[in-house]
Amino acid sequence: MSTVEPPPSSETPRKTSTTPVATLAAVKTPTDPYASRERHHNEGHGRRLTAAFEALEAFPMLAESRNRVLRLFEAGEPSTADVVAAVEADVALAVTVLRLANRVDGRMRGRVESAVKGVEVLSPRTVHSIASKARTFDFFERTAVWQGVPERFRLHAVATQRAADRIARELGYEARDRLMVTSLLHDIGKLVLVHAYPGYPRQIHAEARTPEERIQSERRELGVDHALVGGVLARRWGLPKSVASVIERHHAEDVDGEAAVVRLADMLAHYTLGRSYMTVRSSVGAIPTWRATASSSEGEMDPPSV
C-alpha cells in the first residue's frame, strides 16, 4: 500500500536556533582582506569563530603561575586564600577552574562566579592537579599559535583587575570576588578575534583611536565586536550569566553596575601601561550611582597591541 505524503500545512515547522553562537554564525561576513593564506578563502564567519573558540580550549597558563601553585603545596596544605589568589592571577587557570566547577553536580552547578567558589567546589588539591598538567608558556615565549599574545593579554587583564578591585574597595562594592573574575576576563573576546582574523587588532582598528571607535571598527569590518564575542565564549564555557553579561556589556553605551566598574578599570589599566588617558566627564562622585558613560569622554587612547 502506498503512503500519502501529508500536505505542506501539516508539516512540523523547523525550529530555528536562537543561541548566541548561532546568531554570530549567521552574521553576514564582510570582505576580509586579512584572511590567513592558509585558510580557505570561502571559510565562513561562523566557522572562523568556532575554530577560535576551540583554540581557546588550549590557551596556555603562564609557567610562573603554574610554578606558584606548585610551590604552595611543597610545605603541605596551603591556605585556601593563597590558592584563590594564584587562580585569580592567571587567565587560563581561572577559566579552567570556573569551567570545571560549574560542571560539578550540586546546588552550585552553573552558579560558580568567582575563584573563591571555584576552589571551594573543586578543592585546593584539584587546583594543584590542574596546574601540574596545564600547558604553559614562558614570559618571552612566542608560540606557533599565539605568538607573544598570552603575556601581553595577561598584563592588561591583571592591571584591569587590580584597578577594578581598588575602585570596588573605594565604593564599598560587595561582589568583589566576582569582580576579580569579570575584570580579569573582560577582554577574552579579543583572543578569539586574534585567532580568527590575523589582521586583528591593528589592521581592523586602522585609524580608530578611542575605545568606542575601535568597537565600531570591529562591528563594521567583522560584523561583531570583542565584547559580544567574549560574552558568547563565557556562555559557551558554561559560566554564569552574571559573569557573561559583564564581559558582554563593558563597552555598552548605557553601561552600568559592575560592567561600569570594569569599563573604568579598563581605561585606568591602559593608562598604567603607558597609553594616553581618556578623561571621563562623569565625575568620580557619580560612579556610586553605578552608571558610567564611556561614550561621553575626551582624549585619546593608543590602539592596544591586543
Side-chain angles (χ1 to χ4, degrees), residues 77-156:
E77 291 296 322
S79 70
T80 300
D82 286 341
V83 176
V84 168
V87 172
E88 291 176 336
D90 188 90
V91 175
L93 182 57
V95 167
T96 302
V97 167
L98 262 68
R99 289 183 65 190
L100 292 178
N102 276 292
R103 294 176 184 175
V104 175
D105 290 332
R107 64 182 182 83
M108 293 302 296
R109 183 179 178 86
R111 298 171 58 191
V112 179
E113 57 184 18
S114 69
V116 175
K117 287 296 182 183
V119 173
E120 179 183 312
V121 169
L122 296 179
S123 83
R125 274 291 167 185
T126 299
V127 174
H128 175 272
S129 178
I130 292 170
S132 65
K133 300 174 183 177
R135 179 177 300 183
T136 62
F137 71 97
D138 290 322
F139 188 86
F140 295 107
E141 183 178 353
R142 298 179 67 83
T143 66
V145 175
W146 296 107
Q147 299 298 313
V149 168
E151 180 55 20
R152 295 199 302 271
F153 180 85
R154 190 189 70 85
L155 286 174
H156 177 67

Side-chain angles (χ1 to χ4, degrees), residues 15 44 80 88 107 132 180 184 195 221 248 284:
K15 293 183 179 180
T80 300
E88 291 176 336
R107 64 182 182 83
S132 65
M180 293 293 282
L184 184 71
H195 187 277
E221 298 296 328
E248 191 172 68
V284 174

Side-chain angles (χ1 to χ4, degrees), residues 258-276:
E258 189 168 317
V261 175
V262 172
R263 178 72 188 94
L264 178 58
D266 177 51
M267 289 192 289
L268 294 176
H270 279 294
Y271 174 67
T272 61
L273 292 180
R275 299 188 177 95
S276 38

Side-chain angles (χ1 to χ4, degrees), residues 19-237:
T19 63
V21 173
T23 301
L24 286 179
V27 175
K28 184 177 180 181
T29 309
T31 301
D32 177 18
Y34 314 117
S36 170
R37 293 178 182 177
E38 297 179 358
R39 298 180 187 272
H40 295 295
H41 292 295
N42 62 348
E43 187 174 20
H45 183 76
R47 185 180 300 177
R48 287 189 179 199
L49 291 175
T50 298
F53 287 153
E54 294 172 353
L56 262 293
E57 304 284 335
F59 190 70
M61 179 179 176
L62 180 65
E64 177 53 33
S65 297
R66 187 269 311 278
N67 296 338
R68 175 182 177 181
V69 174
L70 300 185
R71 285 195 298 268
L72 289 175
F73 288 83
E74 290 177 353
E77 291 296 322
S79 70
T80 300
D82 286 341
V83 176
V84 168
V87 172
E88 291 176 336
D90 188 90
V91 175
L93 182 57
V95 167
T96 302
V97 167
L98 262 68
R99 289 183 65 190
L100 292 178
N102 276 292
R103 294 176 184 175
V104 175
D105 290 332
R107 64 182 182 83
M108 293 302 296
R109 183 179 178 86
R111 298 171 58 191
V112 179
E113 57 184 18
S114 69
V116 175
K117 287 296 182 183
V119 173
E120 179 183 312
V121 169
L122 296 179
S123 83
R125 274 291 167 185
T126 299
V127 174
H128 175 272
S129 178
I130 292 170
S132 65
K133 300 174 183 177
R135 179 177 300 183
T136 62
F137 71 97
D138 290 322
F139 188 86
F140 295 107
E141 183 178 353
R142 298 179 67 83
T143 66
V145 175
W146 296 107
Q147 299 298 313
V149 168
E151 180 55 20
R152 295 199 302 271
F153 180 85
R154 190 189 70 85
L155 286 174
H156 177 67
V158 172
T160 301
Q161 182 190 63
R162 291 174 179 173
D165 189 52
R166 177 61 184 273
I167 295 169
R169 283 189 279 115
E170 292 294 329
L171 300 177
Y173 185 57
E174 295 182 355
R176 286 174 57 196
D177 289 341
R178 183 180 64 214
L179 181 63
M180 293 293 282
V181 167
T182 56
S183 55
L184 184 71
L185 304 183
H186 74 287
D187 273 348
I188 199 73
K190 288 184 176 181
L191 293 178
V192 176
L193 298 183
V194 163
H195 187 277
Y197 299 95
Y200 182 87
R202 189 170 300 278
Q203 290 172 307
I204 299 299
H205 291 162
E207 300 300 319
R209 302 302 301 271
T210 68
E212 291 70 39
E213 290 176 354
R214 291 196 288 270
I215 283 286
Q216 291 301 321
S217 293
E218 291 173 5
R219 293 170 182 168
R220 182 175 61 253
E221 298 296 328
L222 307 178
V224 292
D225 61 66
H226 72 268
L228 173 61
V229 171
V232 172
L233 180 59
R235 291 182 176 89
R236 177 186 174 96
W237 282 339

